Amino acid sequence: MSHYSGSVDRDVWFAAHFEIAVEQICEFFAGDGISLQGKRVADVGCGDGIIDLGLTLRAQPASLVGLDISPTDVDHLRSKALEHAGVTELPPELSFVHCSETGFPIEDGSFDYVVSWSAFEHIGDPVSVLREIRRVLTADGVLFIQLWPFFDSEHGTHLVEWFPEGFAQHRYSQEQILLRMTEETFSDRAEVMYREYRTLNQITADGLHLALRQAGFVIAKLHLQADAVHVPVEMADMPPSRMGISGVKLLAVPSF
Ligand SMILES: C[S@@+](CC[C@H](N)C(=O)[O-])C[C@H]1O[C@@H](n2cnc3c(N)ncnc32)[C@H](O)[C@@H]1O
């Protein structure tokens, strides 16, 4: 899977992951007195690995393993690290592992902390992946999840560049969405993004909570993101918690 990188300004993309996401992860943990320094950390759905590089350099874990169903392109990461951060070598503590949709080739209890950024709305079977995370975490381990945007929220389609007015998933048919995206020329990026939109798992905040409970976690800290939105008449009957919650950051701990 590509990671929306087609026409996105690479400096903005790099900084959003290398600096902003890393800072938010570290601050969310630090708010609970948690430091990743010297700890064994994994990132589930690591994508291009930019967050993992930033997190390794900033938080100084003993090891950081990025897991993804799409193998991370380490040469590409190395060249972006040099271009945008002047980093000449990837740190030896950082590695990447190719996993399957529902399984990690990792021994039980291998990690003190697991993080996941912008991945859980893409994961086909969230309960199975959360069970795998529970398996590879230590009994007193902590899981950090960031998810944005939830499917039902204003830009839950991930198609804001074609639908700046928002809520396209509730206003338009699939045919209308595809037509708008292909009105000009059917670019590779439009094709990739439409496919990605169609494979979103449509998880809600409550659905994520349920999945965590089914996998043996309890939420220990919760930050819901909810900004003011204008509600199209087509959505008059949708519960506000579904259309109004755009994202989440949370810490979860094993319950058994
Ligand atoms: C939107 S990308 C986010 C990547 C990265 N965390 C970031 O913020 O740039 C979502 C990632 O989740 C990965 N993914 C989807 N299903 C997965 C699964 N079952 N297990 C691990 N990774 C998965 C995709 O391959 C993709 O790289």
Side-chain angles (χ1 to χ4, degrees), residues 151-157 163 165-172 229-232 235 238 242-244:
F151 182 79
D152 289 317
S153 68
E154 188 176 26
H155 295 300
T157 56
F163 301 95
E165 73 274 31
F167 291 123
Q169 68 280 41
H170 300 302
R171 292 175 135 142
Y172 312 124
V229 287
H230 290 103
V231 181
M235 296 172 58
M238 181 172 287
R242 275 181 54 194
M243 63 173 134

Side-chain angles (χ1 to χ4, degrees), residues 118-132:
S118 291
F120 260 91
E121 76 273 32
H122 298 276
I123 287 173
D125 183 348
V127 175
S128 295
V129 172
L130 286 167
R131 286 201 175 112
E132 272 299 88

